[in-house]
């Protein structure tokens, strides 16, 4: 007993000492950050030219990083709506002389780039310049750059004009080699989410729908490129079909760029445009820094009446949020409930950027949105994706806005289970046995294939959920059941095509959705407030430290860096299969990338 108390008090003392040291470090850190913030307030970043790095992903929700405030940056990554409003404010800001687009690979989806492009077109009406420069220009980057007054390409660089390709991975052969048996159930002939696990190539319905929406987005690209090169869509398409753009000189010859120049030459032109001498230092400010410095001005004057923009980005999952960009049913419903009870909020715009996810989570979220809609108007704005579960949570809104290249629809349901019994027995020497007191006590299970009756139950579950999905769409969109059935079937549509079949009301971005919400609410004097509050990456890391090691975050970052974004995304989707096991899903597990 004496040894016990000895160990107990020694451990207690260690905890107390560690706590004191920890508090000291936190206080010191807070002091340093506080000092840094104070310095930032006293000396805000400024510049005459706003820069936009098109390779950086612009999320819906902004994010802060307290540690970054100790360096040169203000530690803020502006969200899409803030970027749009900042560009609008820059039109009349005398300090801003123009915009520089830094070209490379595109970090955003086509719908996000479309909205950014529209905002840049609005800025251009001010008469201020937009220049674009890149050593390599991808098709996505060129789409955005096509709004510029001048596009400059490095003489030794490269530019893509080659058409679109959508590549999907298939794992049927992998599962066969591992002796893992997939049991797949789905509703909707176009519901291709399960194809990577039950086939070794695309089905014809899936190939058809990809060709259609790929063609729709390609037409948007051709129009934009044609506007810059002063030619028609056919002319740009011919360049792509013939592979005519091999070298920078080819891009210049076909008027796709203004000039072939090195960066120092481009900067010289910017200095000339802004009235600076050659030996003067050029002042640039990133779009995030600019949005942060002018946030209160760009978002409009104060008003007691609010239009709330609720940002929902990522996969739809059950319960509480565990990842930075995720639509978790409990977390989002808490936000919706607050907005419903807030009398200052006159209308809500739900911004959806999601390929879907859990059917149950989607239903839970939709229910909370229906309760909100009983008290105030609800408008939906769609981002790059609002498909499957993403469309499910959108379908009851008073009005739905999408960009022409938004990927939406995918009204279908699937469920998957994987039997590992042969893998365990033949590869690992593991066998399973059980005792149960009812026929379905172990259902669903990974340790054996489903029986015919269990398979029938799974399909009934999927069909029932699919019928519920179609019923919500029919009610929310005021369509006949047979009409919904014809445009459902798991088929994916672009925003432009979705408008033609009644799944979307109008084409336009967040700004138009906000204006619509205000009009429905009958308010003219209002301010726009985004929810939830921006996350702080330092706080998120500290929160993770409470349940896991920081090493896991480093591993994730290293994997993403080494394998690339797409390969890492495949890994995370495969990893998420364990959470899908036996559940009804409304999702696009492998989101098709058009590039």
């Amino acid at each position: 007993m004496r040894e016990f108390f000895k160990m107990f008090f020694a451990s207690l003392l260690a905890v107390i000492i560690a706590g004191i040291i920890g508090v000291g470090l936190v206080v010191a850190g807070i002091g340093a950050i506080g000092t840094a913030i104070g310095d930032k307030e006293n000396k805000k970043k400024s510049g005459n030219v706003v820069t936009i790095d098109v390779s950086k992903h612009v999320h819906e929700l902004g994010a802060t990083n307290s540690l970054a405030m100790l360096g040169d940056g203000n530690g803020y990554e502006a969200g899409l709506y803030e970027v749009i409003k900042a560009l609008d404010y820059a039109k009349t800001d005398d300090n801003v002389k123009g915009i520089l687009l830094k070209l490379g690979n595109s970090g955003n989806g086509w719908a996000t780039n479309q909205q950014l492009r529209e905002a840049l077109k609005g800025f251009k009406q001010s008469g201020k310049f937009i220049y674009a420069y890149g050593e390599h220009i991808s098709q996505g980057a060129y789409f955005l750059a096509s709004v510029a007054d001048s596009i400059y390409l490095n003489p030794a660089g490269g530019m893509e004009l080659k058409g679109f390709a959508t590549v999907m991975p298939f794992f049927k052969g992998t599962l066969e080699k591992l002796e893992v048996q997939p049991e797949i159930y789905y509703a909707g002939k176009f519901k291709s989410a399960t194809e990577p696990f039950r086939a070794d190539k695309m089905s014809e319905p899936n190939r058809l729908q990809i060709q259609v929406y790929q063609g729709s987005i390609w037409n948007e690209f051709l129009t934009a490129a044609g506007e810059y090169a002063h030619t028609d869509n056919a002319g740009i398409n011919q360049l792509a079909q013939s592979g005519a753009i091999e070298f920078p000189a080819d891009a210049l010859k076909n008027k796709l760029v203004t000039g072939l120049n090195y960066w120092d030459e481009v900067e010289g032109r910017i200095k000339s445009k802004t009235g600076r001498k050659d030996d003067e230092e050029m002042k640039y400010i990133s779009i995030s820094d600019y949005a942060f410095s002018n946030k209160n001005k760009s978002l409009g004057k104060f008003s007691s009446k609010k239009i709330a923009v609720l940002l929902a980005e990522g996969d739809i999952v059950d319960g509480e949020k565990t990842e930075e960009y995720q639509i978790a049913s409990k977390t989002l419903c808490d936000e919706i409930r607050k907005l419903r009870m807030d009398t200052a909020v006159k209308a809500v715009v739900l911004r959806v950027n999601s390929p879907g996810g859990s059917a149950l989570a989607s239903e839970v979220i939709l229910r909370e949105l229906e309760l909100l809609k009983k008290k105030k108007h609800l408008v939906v704005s769609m981002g790059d994706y609002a498909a499957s579960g993403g469309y499910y949570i959108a379908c009851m809104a008073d009005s739905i806005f999408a960009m022409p290249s938004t990927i939406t629809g995918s009204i279908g349901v699937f469920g998957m289970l994987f039997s590992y019994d042969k893998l365990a027995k033949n590869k690992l020497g593991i066998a399973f046995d059980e005792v149960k007191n009812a026929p379905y006590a172990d259902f669903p299970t990974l340790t054996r294939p489903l029986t015919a009756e269990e398979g029938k139950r799974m399909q009934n579950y999927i069909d029932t959920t699919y019928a519920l999905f179609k019923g919500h769409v029919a009610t929310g969109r005021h369509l006949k059941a047979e009409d919904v059935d014809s445009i459902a079937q798991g088929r994916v549509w672009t925003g432009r095509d979705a408008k033609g079949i009644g799944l979307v009301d109008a084409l336009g971005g967040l700004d138009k959705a906000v204006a619509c919400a205000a009009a429905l609410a009958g308010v003219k004097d209002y301010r726009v407030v985004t929810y939830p509050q921006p996350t702080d990456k330092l706080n998120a890391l500290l929160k993770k430290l409470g349940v896991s090691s920081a090493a896991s975050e480093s591993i994730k970052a290293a994997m993403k860096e080494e394998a690339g974004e797409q390969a890492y995304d495949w890994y995370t989707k495969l990893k998420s299969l364990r959470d899908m096991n036996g559940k009804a899903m409304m999702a696009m597990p492998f989101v098709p990338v058009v590039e």
Side-chain angles (χ1 to χ4, degrees):
M1 182 63 71
R2 188 168 64 182
E3 288 299 314
F4 167 76
F5 281 111
K6 188 182 198 178
M7 292 297 295
F8 174 77
F9 285 114
S11 299
L12 181 61
L13 180 62
V15 170
I16 292 171
I17 292 171
I20 292 171
I21 294 172
V23 170
L25 288 172
V26 170
V27 171
I30 290 173
I33 291 170
T35 301
I37 292 173
D39 291 342
K40 298 293 179 185
E41 289 299 317
N42 293 330
K43 187 180 179 182
K44 286 185 177 179
K45 294 198 74 174
S46 62
N48 302 119
V49 176
V50 176
T51 63
I52 299 176
D53 186 344
V54 303
S55 68
K56 288 187 176 180
H57 187 71
V58 181
H59 287 284
E60 302 294 341
L61 180 65
T64 60
N65 186 349
S66 299
L67 287 178
M69 292 182 179
L70 300 174
D72 292 332
N74 58 42
Y76 192 71
E77 296 174 8
L80 179 61
Y81 186 69
E82 292 168 311
V83 170
I84 292 166
K85 297 306 291 182
L87 289 173
D88 185 59
Y89 178 72
K91 290 191 297 187
T92 56
D93 185 352
D94 293 336
N95 292 321
V96 174
K97 306 303 180 185
I99 289 176
L100 171 66
L101 301 178
K102 297 180 177 180
L103 306 181
N105 290 321
S106 175
N108 297 295
W110 289 97
T112 296
N113 276 341
Q114 271 187 319
Q115 186 144 5
L116 289 172
R117 191 175 185 274
E118 288 300 312
L120 287 167
K121 285 177 74 174
F123 172 85
K124 199 173 177 181
Q125 292 175 358
S126 67
K128 300 178 182 182
F129 71 86
I130 301 177
Y131 283 175
Y133 172 78
E135 295 176 355
H136 165 76
I137 306 176
S138 68
Q139 292 180 133
Y142 188 81
F143 174 77
L144 191 58
S146 63
V147 74
D149 298 294
S150 301
I151 302 175
Y152 298 103
L153 175 62
N154 187 289
M159 175 184 162
E160 292 181 354
L161 183 59
K162 58 183 183 179
F164 290 159
T166 300
V167 180
M168 289 183 62
F170 291 86
F171 305 99
K172 181 184 176 184
T174 305
L175 296 176
E176 288 173 352
K177 288 180 183 294
L178 293 172
E179 295 189 88
V180 174
Q181 180 180 335
E183 306 209 48
I184 297 169
Y185 305 88
Y186 60 97
K189 66 180 181 180
F190 286 94
K191 195 62 181 175
S192 59
T194 62
E195 278 188 12
F197 308 100
R198 59 182 167 86
D200 53 17
K201 63 179 182 179
M202 297 178 194
S203 65
E204 286 309 309
N206 188 25
R207 189 177 299 277
L208 172 63
Q209 70 174 347
I210 290 175
Q211 287 173 341
V212 171
Y213 72 67
Q214 194 183 78
S216 180
I217 297 173
W218 180 240
N219 282 332
E220 301 289 338
F221 174 84
L222 293 176
T223 299
E227 286 176 3
Y228 184 84
H230 301 291
T231 186
D232 56 17
N233 290 18
I236 301 295
N237 187 56
Q238 179 57 34
L239 293 176
Q241 297 297 331
S242 63
I245 311 302
E246 290 188 78
F247 303 104
D250 298 325
L252 181 63
K253 175 185 175 182
N254 289 282
K255 300 181 181 179
L256 294 170
V257 297
T258 304
L260 304 181
N261 301 89
Y262 294 99
W263 166 242
D264 60 287
E265 295 175 316
V266 174
E267 187 172 52
R269 297 188 182 198
I270 293 173
K271 286 181 178 181
S272 175
K273 197 78 172 174
T274 56
R276 289 184 179 273
K277 297 179 181 178
D278 289 341
D279 56 352
E280 283 188 88
E281 182 184 359
M282 192 68 222
K283 288 187 177 180
Y284 301 99
I285 182 170
S286 73
I287 187 63
S288 284
D289 285 340
Y290 182 76
F292 180 83
S293 299
N294 297 281
K295 190 171 184 179
N296 293 332
K297 300 174 186 176
S298 64
L299 293 180
K301 62 182 180 179
F302 178 83
S303 171
S304 60
K305 299 173 184 177
K306 297 188 289 187
I307 300 297
V309 175
L310 180 58
L311 305 170
E313 178 180 4
D315 293 336
I316 300 175
V317 300
D318 301 298
E320 294 189 350
K321 188 175 181 178
T322 58
E323 297 291 338
E324 192 172 0
Y325 298 104
Q326 191 178 63
I327 304 174
S329 57
K330 185 181 184 306
T331 306
L332 186 61
C333 285
D334 287 345
E335 291 287 341
I336 297 169
R337 209 169 290 120
K338 289 175 188 175
L339 296 179
R340 172 160 56 94
M341 303 305 292
D342 188 343
T343 55
V345 173
K346 303 306 177 184
V348 175
V349 175
L350 175 65
R351 173 70 172 185
V352 180
N353 195 347
S354 172
S358 164
L360 176 58
S362 300
E363 173 64 17
V364 169
I365 293 168
L366 181 61
R367 171 61 181 171
E368 201 62 47
L369 289 170
E370 287 183 285
L371 294 176
L372 178 142
K373 194 181 166 189
K374 290 179 180 179
K375 298 191 70 172
K376 50 197 72 178
H377 287 286
L378 174 67
V379 175
V380 162
S381 170
M382 294 179 170
D384 291 321
Y385 302 96
S388 212
Y391 189 79
Y392 193 99
I393 65 175
C395 68
M396 288 290 190
D398 293 304
S399 191
I400 299 177
F401 287 79
M403 295 304 291
S405 295
T406 294
I407 298 296
T408 188
S410 191
I411 301 167
V413 185
F414 73 91
M416 291 193 293
L417 299 94
F418 295 87
S419 174
Y420 294 95
D421 58 324
K422 290 182 181 179
L423 167 65
K425 183 178 180 180
N426 299 336
K427 308 292 186 186
L428 304 174
I430 300 172
F432 300 95
D433 200 0
E434 65 182 5
V435 175
K436 57 184 180 180
N437 66 357
Y440 303 108
D442 64 340
F443 171 73
T445 178
L446 305 177
T447 61
R448 62 171 176 80
L450 297 187
T451 65
E453 181 58 32
E454 288 170 335
K456 184 178 179 181
R457 281 173 172 258
M458 273 297 299
Q459 189 60 55
N460 287 340
Y461 175 37
I462 299 303
D463 290 341
T464 300
T465 307
Y466 181 45
L468 179 66
F469 194 167
K470 291 191 294 182
H472 283 322
V473 174
T475 301
R477 302 304 303 154
H478 308 292
L479 296 170
K480 295 178 181 178
E482 56 268 28
D483 291 335
V484 172
D485 187 65
S486 67
I487 60 178
Q489 301 294 328
R491 182 159 184 171
V492 170
W493 305 90
T494 62
R496 187 178 296 281
D497 292 337
K499 182 179 180 295
I501 57 177
L503 293 179
V504 165
D505 292 298
L507 297 178
L510 255 172
D511 47 348
K512 289 187 178 179
V514 168
C516 174
L520 289 173
V523 293
K524 294 182 179 179
D525 181 24
Y526 62 89
R527 62 188 170 113
V528 178
V529 182
T530 58
Y531 298 86
Q533 292 299 309
T535 56
D536 186 276
K537 293 191 174 183
L538 174 60
N539 289 341
L541 176 59
L542 292 175
K543 185 177 180 181
K544 282 183 176 290
L545 287 174
V547 295
S548 63
S549 169
S552 64
E553 295 302 307
S554 300
I555 291 170
K556 286 181 185 178
M559 288 175 65
K560 194 178 291 186
E561 179 71 23
E562 188 66 27
E565 288 280 351
Q566 190 175 64
Y568 180 77
D569 184 56
W570 289 352
Y571 160 74
T572 57
K573 293 301 184 184
L574 284 171
K575 184 180 172 186
S576 70
L577 291 178
R578 66 185 181 188
D579 299 322
M580 297 182 187
N581 210 57
K583 292 182 179 180
M585 302 296 295
M586 300 171 178
M588 302 168 67
F590 292 90
V591 178
V593 178
V594 178
E595 59 183 8

